[in-house]
Amino acid sequence: RRQRQMCIRDRRCIVKSDLARVANDFILKAYEENLYLLPTKLLKLVYFMYGHYLQRTGDILFDAKFNALEHGPVIFELYDCIKGLGDVDQFLESEDGKLYITNRNSEYGKKYYDVFNYVWNKYRLFSANTLSNLTHAPNSPWDVTRRIKGKNKEIDAELIKRYFKGEDISNG
C-alpha cells in the first residue's frame, strides 16, 4: 500500500458544514486505517450513516437531500465535489471555510460515534459495487422512489427511516 497523506482539497469544493463533517469523519477514518475510499464508497457510507442515524435517533443528520439517481442515492453537492477522484483522501471544506470533524467527547459526539462506528465496522470492507447493490435492492428507498416518483427525484427522509427500521416500504 502507498503511504497516505491527508490534505485540504486543492480545488475549491464547498459543501454544507453538517454534510462536510460526516464526509470528513469517513475520510479521516479511512486514512487512519490506510483504506482507499472511492467516491462511490464515500457516497454510500454517508447514505448508510444517514439512514442508521435516523433510524436509531429519529433525528435528521444533515439537511442535504438524497436523490434517486441511476447509480443510487446521491447528494448532488457531495457528488459534485468528489466525482472523478480515484481516492477521496482530502478533507472537504464547508461553506463557512472551516474544516469540520465531529468532537468525540461531546454529548452529541458520543451518540453520533455510536452510530458512526457501527456503520464503519459493518460496511468499511465492502467494495463500492457491493454497497451499490445494497442501495439498489428491490423495495429500497432508492427503488421505491424511482418507481413511484420517477428517476432523479428526492428520496423522502421518512421513507429512509422506515426502511432502516425494517418496515415494508414497497408501496411508498
Side-chain angles (χ1 to χ4, degrees):
R1 290 200 175 225
R2 69 182 165 91
Q3 191 70 346
R4 297 185 54 141
Q5 295 180 341
M6 291 300 300
C7 59
I8 299 173
R9 177 167 296 294
D10 54 2
R11 68 178 185 185
R12 194 111 169 109
C13 178
I14 307 296
V15 296
K16 293 177 184 164
S17 60
D18 52 354
L19 176 57
R21 177 181 39 78
V22 175
N24 285 341
D25 288 338
F26 282 115
I27 294 166
L28 178 61
K29 193 69 170 169
Y31 171 76
E32 290 173 346
E33 296 189 16
N34 200 30
L35 295 174
Y36 288 99
L37 189 59
L38 297 173
T40 300
K41 188 168 185 172
L42 178 58
L43 291 167
K44 304 311 178 197
L45 288 170
V46 168
Y47 172 75
F48 287 121
M49 179 65 187
Y50 181 89
H52 284 290
Y53 190 85
L54 184 58
Q55 175 262 320
R56 286 187 182 195
T57 68
D59 297 330
I60 299 289
L61 188 56
F62 46 74
D63 292 332
K65 306 297 183 197
F66 289 94
N67 289 77
L69 301 187
E70 178 182 354
H71 299 291
V74 170
I75 298 169
F76 287 122
E77 66 180 305
L78 180 57
Y79 173 76
D80 289 342
C81 283
I82 63 176
K83 69 181 175 187
L85 297 176
D87 180 21
V88 184
D89 61 356
Q90 299 174 342
F91 289 120
L92 304 179
E93 188 177 340
S94 72
E95 58 198 352
D96 61 7
K98 297 179 181 177
L99 293 176
Y100 286 92
I101 295 175
T102 305
N103 178 351
R104 297 171 192 252
N105 298 319
S106 68
E107 184 176 328
Y108 168 79
K110 290 175 185 174
K111 177 172 70 169
Y112 171 89
Y113 273 104
D114 180 51
V115 180
F116 179 87
N117 289 328
Y118 170 80
V119 170
W120 180 255
N121 291 329
K122 182 171 182 172
Y123 300 108
R124 77 173 185 252
L125 297 178
F126 288 11
S127 70
N129 286 340
T130 299
L131 294 175
S132 289
N133 290 339
L134 292 174
T135 62
H136 289 90
N139 297 320
S140 68
W142 174 84
D143 177 60
V144 171
T145 299
R146 287 177 67 89
R147 279 191 290 109
I148 294 174
K149 292 171 128 182
K151 296 177 182 177
N152 304 334
K153 300 298 183 188
E154 185 179 307
I155 302 172
D156 294 325
E158 186 60 30
L159 197 63
I160 295 171
K161 180 180 178 181
R162 289 177 43 221
Y163 178 77
F164 278 86
K165 281 187 167 191
E167 296 178 19
D168 177 14
I169 61 165
S170 58
N171 294 319

